[in-house]
Amino acid sequence: NVIGIIMQKEIMDFYEEMLSLVYSLTSSHVSVHLWQVFQMMYTMFQKDGIDYFTEMMPALHNYITVDTPAFLANPEHVQIIYNMCKTVMSADIGEDAECHAAKLLEVIILQCPGQVDHVIPSFVELALQRLTREVLTSELRTMCLQVVIAALYYNLPFLMDTLTKIQIPNVNGSLLAQFLKSWFHDIDCFVGLHDRKITVLGLCSLVNLISNNRPSEVSEVASQIMPALLLLFSGLKRAYAAKAKEEEDSSDEEDEEEEEGKDENELASDEDEVDEDGAQYIEKLEKSLNNNEDDDSDNEYSDDGMEETALESYQTPLDEDNCPVDEYQVFKNVLQSIQTADPVWYQAIMTPITPEQTKELEDVFKLAEQRKAAAESKQIEDAGGYIFQNTSVPQNFNFGP
């Protein structure tokens, strides 16, 4: 009722707190009344709420991911999200909001495999149209490209067909060729775990195209595919290391907090000692804040860690800890498959790589085996057992052209 009053009375001073409350209420379950709130949020957006789109984003993400069946049950829900994203990407409210809009489109595509064919053309067209206008930041460029990459991963033949039908003003020639050119040009701008993972999976889908269904535009970029993949895997390796370090640091902090809690209980009877402990805590906090502002060493992993972009927090099924799709395994399987099934295409992809890149490729395969072994080991440990897996690369695989 409070949420409804704030939106109906257009009490803008409370919009941020209200949207935060909607996010909290939809974090684990979306009730019938909260679906009514979804409709009210759209009405608010249309009246005077467009400037609060980024604040709406966490709640909108919940509506899509927490109760996906209910979200898809009413076609109007998907249309509302599209209308909001189109409005944001057509208005002059800043590229940060536009990045969030593009991210929301990508989330829908990845959250609803095989269930949103009817909106894929509209999503792709909106993203590509935005790229025809001035873009100031690499974040918005890559986020728009990612909408198309997600559609490529969702259903590659469908996307290829869609690109032949879309008509975008001021774009001459093949839309697929234009997209591929932009994609490879900005390949080093995809950062973080999610962005690199979906890009690797998209490129693997391209590689896996059989010869009689492979457009000439894809064949023409064969020499760029493997260098792009190796660059992405190099970034992924650093990103996974950063994530592991963050989780380790978080675990250490929790242990320290538990110890501090024990110490505080022991010192509760001595007021002087408690005051001293409090002063030390404040001093430590101030030192930490100063280090964050002045010490670049604290940001060692900022380029590849989990916090380089707020959009990383809007998870998709590909980002879940138990996600069965491992980009290393997909890449390895695709490459081994085309080596046998399509040796000419395999040679076209592999011929351009240098000896140094061949070594990088071997390292990627070793990591693929290690990740597979770790995943299998975890499955058995969860069941109360243990497994030892040989992590060597199969000797019969040829890394050369």
Side-chain angles (χ1 to χ4, degrees):
N1 289 337
V2 170
I3 291 170
I5 290 172
I6 291 172
M7 284 194 279
Q8 289 170 2
K9 300 291 185 182
E10 301 178 14
I11 311 175
M12 298 180 69
D13 288 346
F14 292 153
Y15 276 6
E16 291 186 17
E17 290 81 359
M18 177 268 294
L19 292 169
S20 178
L21 179 57
V22 176
Y23 164 73
S24 298
L25 293 172
T26 55
S27 292
S28 59
H29 172 69
V30 183
S31 67
V32 173
H33 289 115
L34 283 166
W35 278 115
Q36 294 174 355
V37 168
F38 177 78
Q39 299 282 348
M40 295 168 67
M41 285 174 60
Y42 181 46
T43 301
M44 181 195 92
F45 173 87
Q46 291 176 303
K47 288 183 179 179
D48 54 19
I50 186 172
D51 290 334
Y52 293 87
F53 179 75
T54 55
E55 285 78 16
M56 291 182 185
M57 179 77 172
L60 295 176
H61 179 261
N62 279 351
Y63 278 111
I64 297 167
T65 60
V66 172
D67 195 352
T68 305
F71 175 72
L72 293 174
N74 185 345
E76 188 179 354
H77 294 157
V78 181
Q79 188 64 41
I80 284 174
I81 296 291
Y82 172 73
N83 291 344
M84 294 172 76
C85 293
K86 184 177 181 179
T87 301
V88 169
M89 295 176 74
S90 303
D92 186 19
I93 63 170
E95 292 195 0
D96 180 57
E98 293 185 88
C99 286
H100 282 74
K103 182 65 182 182
L104 211 51
L105 299 178
E106 187 209 7
V107 168
I108 291 177
I109 295 171
L110 296 179
Q111 184 70 28
C112 312
Q115 302 174 83
V116 288
D117 287 12
H118 61 292
V119 297
I120 293 294
S122 299
F123 286 13
V124 169
E125 183 175 6
L126 178 58
L128 292 177
Q129 278 184 340
R130 182 59 187 87
L131 290 173
T132 64
R133 306 195 307 275
E134 183 183 25
V135 177
L136 300 176
T137 63
S138 61
E139 289 81 5
L140 181 55
R141 283 202 315 275
T142 54
M143 204 55 252
C144 288
L145 290 170
Q146 235 165 268
V147 174
V148 188
I149 295 168
L152 185 154
Y153 175 69
Y154 173 96
N155 188 328
L156 179 54
F158 185 62
L159 174 69
M160 295 298 183
D161 182 60
T162 297
L163 291 177
T164 63
K165 296 177 180 178
I166 292 177
Q167 298 292 326
I168 296 182
N170 303 321
V171 175
N172 299 318
S174 167
L175 201 54
L176 174 59
Q178 294 284 345
F179 162 67
L180 292 174
K181 180 181 179 181
S182 299
W183 188 5
F184 284 106
H185 179 270
D186 283 332
I187 202 72
D188 60 336
C189 297
F190 293 90
V191 296
L193 285 176
H194 172 84
D195 294 6
R196 289 184 175 116
K197 179 172 183 175
I198 186 61
T199 306
V200 165
L201 293 173
L203 287 172
C204 286
S205 296
L206 279 185
V207 171
N208 207 31
L209 275 170
I210 59 176
S211 57
N212 58 339
N213 286 334
R214 186 183 307 124
S216 59
E217 293 92 336
V218 175
S219 299
E220 290 169 3
V221 298
S223 63
Q224 302 178 62
I225 293 176
M226 192 55 62
L229 281 162
L230 292 175
L231 178 67
L232 291 165
F233 277 118
S234 175
L236 275 169
K237 184 178 180 180
R238 298 193 304 273
Y240 277 116
K243 180 182 179 182
K245 182 178 184 301
E246 288 174 359
E247 291 176 347
E248 180 182 352
D249 291 346
S250 177
S251 177
D252 291 343
E253 287 176 6
E254 290 177 2
D255 292 341
E256 289 177 5
E257 288 174 359
E258 289 181 4
E259 289 299 321
E260 288 176 1
K262 292 179 182 178
D263 293 340
E264 288 176 1
N265 289 335
E266 293 173 1
L267 296 172
S269 62
D270 192 325
E271 184 177 350
D272 292 337
E273 292 188 61
V274 171
D275 288 341
E276 181 181 351
D277 187 59
Q280 290 175 351
Y281 171 75
I282 293 173
E283 181 181 353
K284 179 180 177 183
L285 180 61
E286 290 175 345
K287 183 178 179 181
S288 174
L289 290 172
N290 290 332
N291 284 342
N292 285 339
E293 294 174 357
D294 303 327
D295 188 357
D296 289 338
S297 65
D298 286 345
N299 297 321
E300 179 181 358
Y301 292 95
S302 62
D303 288 341
D304 298 296
M306 295 300 290
E307 296 179 354
E308 76 285 325
T309 166
L311 299 180
E312 287 278 325
S313 63
Y314 298 108
Q315 290 204 335
T316 73
L318 290 178
D319 309 309
E320 296 173 356
D321 289 337
N322 60 348
C323 175
V325 180
D326 182 276
E327 65 274 23
Y328 284 82
Q329 304 303 318
V330 172
F331 170 70
K332 174 172 169 281
N333 293 337
V334 165
L335 211 57
Q336 288 180 329
S337 174
I338 67 165
Q339 184 185 23
T340 303
D342 197 345
V344 175
W345 176 233
Y346 176 82
Q347 185 177 20
I349 293 172
M350 298 295 290
T351 297
I353 69 172
T354 65
E356 291 78 10
Q357 289 172 327
T358 300
K359 177 63 170 63
E360 292 177 24
L361 183 57
E362 292 173 353
D363 291 341
V364 171
F365 266 60
K366 288 177 182 177
L367 265 174
E369 290 296 315
Q370 291 167 2
R371 289 169 64 86
K372 181 180 179 181
E376 292 175 348
S377 176
K378 185 177 185 303
Q379 288 177 355
I380 291 187
E381 286 177 2
D382 290 343
Y386 177 78
I387 185 172
F388 176 80
Q389 176 78 24
N390 182 1
T391 60
S392 62
V393 177
Q395 296 299 312
N396 62 344
F397 189 78
N398 177 21
F399 286 100

mmCIF file of all heavy atoms in Angstrom, residues 333-348:
data_model
loop_
_atom_site.group_PDB
_atom_site.id
_atom_site.type_symbol
_atom_site.label_atom_id
_atom_site.label_comp_id
_atom_site.label_asym_id
_atom_site.label_seq_id
_atom_site.Cartn_x
_atom_site.Cartn_y
_atom_site.Cartn_z
ATOM 1 N N ASN A 333 35.821 -28.695 -26.916
ATOM 2 C CA ASN A 333 35.004 -29.663 -27.656
ATOM 3 C C ASN A 333 34.737 -29.204 -29.086
ATOM 4 O O ASN A 333 34.777 -30.005 -30.029
ATOM 5 C CB ASN A 333 33.680 -29.913 -26.930
ATOM 6 C CG ASN A 333 33.872 -30.611 -25.603
ATOM 7 O OD1 ASN A 333 34.886 -31.280 -25.387
ATOM 8 N ND2 ASN A 333 32.929 -30.453 -24.696
ATOM 9 N N VAL A 334 34.463 -27.900 -29.256
ATOM 10 C CA VAL A 334 34.195 -27.373 -30.590
ATOM 11 C C VAL A 334 35.434 -27.485 -31.470
ATOM 12 O O VAL A 334 35.357 -27.914 -32.630
ATOM 13 C CB VAL A 334 33.720 -25.905 -30.507
ATOM 14 C CG1 VAL A 334 33.785 -25.233 -31.881
ATOM 15 C CG2 VAL A 334 32.303 -25.836 -29.969
ATOM 16 N N LEU A 335 36.585 -27.139 -30.922
ATOM 17 C CA LEU A 335 37.812 -27.171 -31.717
ATOM 18 C C LEU A 335 38.174 -28.601 -32.118
ATOM 19 O O LEU A 335 38.571 -28.859 -33.261
ATOM 20 C CB LEU A 335 38.955 -26.530 -30.924
ATOM 21 C CG LEU A 335 40.030 -25.814 -31.748
ATOM 22 C CD1 LEU A 335 39.419 -24.743 -32.621
ATOM 23 C CD2 LEU A 335 41.108 -25.224 -30.847
ATOM 24 N N GLN A 336 38.028 -29.523 -31.178
ATOM 25 C CA GLN A 336 38.311 -30.927 -31.506
ATOM 26 C C GLN A 336 37.317 -31.452 -32.538
ATOM 27 O O GLN A 336 37.688 -32.239 -33.417
ATOM 28 C CB GLN A 336 38.255 -31.778 -30.226
ATOM 29 C CG GLN A 336 39.429 -31.543 -29.302
ATOM 30 C CD GLN A 336 39.344 -32.385 -28.041
ATOM 31 O OE1 GLN A 336 38.253 -32.683 -27.557
ATOM 32 N NE2 GLN A 336 40.485 -32.772 -27.508
ATOM 33 N N SER A 337 36.070 -31.014 -32.441
ATOM 34 C CA SER A 337 35.046 -31.492 -33.366
ATOM 35 C C SER A 337 35.309 -31.032 -34.791
ATOM 36 O O SER A 337 35.257 -31.832 -35.737
ATOM 37 C CB SER A 337 33.669 -31.004 -32.902
ATOM 38 O OG SER A 337 32.677 -31.331 -33.850
ATOM 39 N N ILE A 338 35.630 -29.735 -34.981
ATOM 40 C CA ILE A 338 35.828 -29.257 -36.350
ATOM 41 C C ILE A 338 37.142 -29.744 -36.938
ATOM 42 O O ILE A 338 37.293 -29.815 -38.155
ATOM 43 C CB ILE A 338 35.738 -27.720 -36.437
ATOM 44 C CG1 ILE A 338 36.897 -27.060 -35.695
ATOM 45 C CG2 ILE A 338 34.403 -27.218 -35.953
ATOM 46 C CD1 ILE A 338 37.063 -25.592 -36.056
ATOM 47 N N GLN A 339 38.110 -30.100 -36.076
ATOM 48 C CA GLN A 339 39.363 -30.638 -36.605
ATOM 49 C C GLN A 339 39.100 -31.915 -37.399
ATOM 50 O O GLN A 339 39.719 -32.157 -38.441
ATOM 51 C CB GLN A 339 40.341 -30.932 -35.471
ATOM 52 C CG GLN A 339 41.715 -31.407 -35.971
ATOM 53 C CD GLN A 339 42.627 -31.818 -34.849
ATOM 54 O OE1 GLN A 339 42.157 -32.159 -33.746
ATOM 55 N NE2 GLN A 339 43.925 -31.814 -35.092
ATOM 56 N N THR A 340 38.152 -32.697 -36.929
ATOM 57 C CA THR A 340 37.803 -33.942 -37.604
ATOM 58 C C THR A 340 36.741 -33.734 -38.680
ATOM 59 O O THR A 340 36.865 -34.235 -39.798
ATOM 60 C CB THR A 340 37.285 -34.972 -36.574
ATOM 61 O OG1 THR A 340 38.284 -35.177 -35.567
ATOM 62 C CG2 THR A 340 36.965 -36.286 -37.246
ATOM 63 N N ALA A 341 35.716 -32.951 -38.340
ATOM 64 C CA ALA A 341 34.562 -32.839 -39.238
ATOM 65 C C ALA A 341 34.776 -31.856 -40.384
ATOM 66 O O ALA A 341 34.195 -32.029 -41.457
ATOM 67 C CB ALA A 341 33.327 -32.426 -38.429
ATOM 68 N N ASP A 342 35.598 -30.836 -40.163
ATOM 69 C CA ASP A 342 35.773 -29.792 -41.180
ATOM 70 C C ASP A 342 37.224 -29.311 -41.168
ATOM 71 O O ASP A 342 37.518 -28.180 -40.757
ATOM 72 C CB ASP A 342 34.813 -28.629 -40.886
ATOM 73 C CG ASP A 342 34.635 -27.703 -42.084
ATOM 74 O OD1 ASP A 342 35.450 -27.798 -43.028
ATOM 75 O OD2 ASP A 342 33.695 -26.887 -42.069
ATOM 76 N N PRO A 343 38.152 -30.141 -41.638
ATOM 77 C CA PRO A 343 39.581 -29.800 -41.550
ATOM 78 C C PRO A 343 39.961 -28.533 -42.317
ATOM 79 O O PRO A 343 40.895 -27.833 -41.916
ATOM 80 C CB PRO A 343 40.278 -31.034 -42.132
ATOM 81 C CG PRO A 343 39.232 -31.767 -42.904
ATOM 82 C CD PRO A 343 37.946 -31.479 -42.225
ATOM 83 N N VAL A 344 39.261 -28.222 -43.398
ATOM 84 C CA VAL A 344 39.576 -27.003 -44.157
ATOM 85 C C VAL A 344 39.269 -25.758 -43.313
ATOM 86 O O VAL A 344 40.072 -24.816 -43.249
ATOM 87 C CB VAL A 344 38.782 -26.971 -45.481
ATOM 88 C CG1 VAL A 344 39.004 -25.652 -46.209
ATOM 89 C CG2 VAL A 344 39.190 -28.145 -46.372
ATOM 90 N N TRP A 345 38.112 -25.761 -42.673
ATOM 91 C CA TRP A 345 37.727 -24.655 -41.795
ATOM 92 C C TRP A 345 38.658 -24.580 -40.589
ATOM 93 O O TRP A 345 39.064 -23.487 -40.176
ATOM 94 C CB TRP A 345 36.280 -24.831 -41.366
ATOM 95 C CG TRP A 345 35.717 -23.842 -40.382
ATOM 96 C CD1 TRP A 345 35.102 -24.131 -39.206
ATOM 97 C CD2 TRP A 345 35.673 -22.414 -40.511
ATOM 98 N NE1 TRP A 345 34.683 -22.991 -38.578
ATOM 99 C CE2 TRP A 345 35.023 -21.909 -39.357
ATOM 100 C CE3 TRP A 345 36.126 -21.523 -41.475
ATOM 101 C CZ2 TRP A 345 34.819 -20.554 -39.136
ATOM 102 C CZ3 TRP A 345 35.925 -20.165 -41.248
ATOM 103 C CH2 TRP A 345 35.280 -19.682 -40.106
ATOM 104 N N TYR A 346 39.010 -25.728 -40.047
ATOM 105 C CA TYR A 346 39.944 -25.780 -38.925
ATOM 106 C C TYR A 346 41.284 -25.152 -39.315
ATOM 107 O O TYR A 346 41.859 -24.361 -38.566
ATOM 108 C CB TYR A 346 40.143 -27.232 -38.484
ATOM 109 C CG TYR A 346 41.166 -27.408 -37.378
ATOM 110 C CD1 TYR A 346 40.815 -27.188 -36.053
ATOM 111 C CD2 TYR A 346 42.469 -27.783 -37.671
ATOM 112 C CE1 TYR A 346 41.738 -27.341 -35.035
ATOM 113 C CE2 TYR A 346 43.412 -27.948 -36.661
ATOM 114 C CZ TYR A 346 43.030 -27.722 -35.344
ATOM 115 O OH TYR A 346 43.961 -27.864 -34.335
ATOM 116 N N GLN A 347 41.764 -25.476 -40.493
ATOM 117 C CA GLN A 347 43.035 -24.918 -40.957
ATOM 118 C C GLN A 347 42.927 -23.411 -41.148
ATOM 119 O O GLN A 347 43.852 -22.658 -40.828
ATOM 120 C CB GLN A 347 43.471 -25.581 -42.262
ATOM 121 C CG GLN A 347 44.844 -25.136 -42.747
ATOM 122 C CD GLN A 347 45.269 -25.870 -44.005
ATOM 123 O OE1 GLN A 347 44.431 -26.416 -44.721
ATOM 124 N NE2 GLN A 347 46.567 -25.889 -44.281
ATOM 125 N N ALA A 348 41.786 -22.933 -41.662
ATOM 126 C CA ALA A 348 41.596 -21.502 -41.866
ATOM 127 C C ALA A 348 41.654 -20.745 -40.543
ATOM 128 O O ALA A 348 42.159 -19.610 -40.483
ATOM 129 C CB ALA A 348 40.259 -21.253 -42.549
#
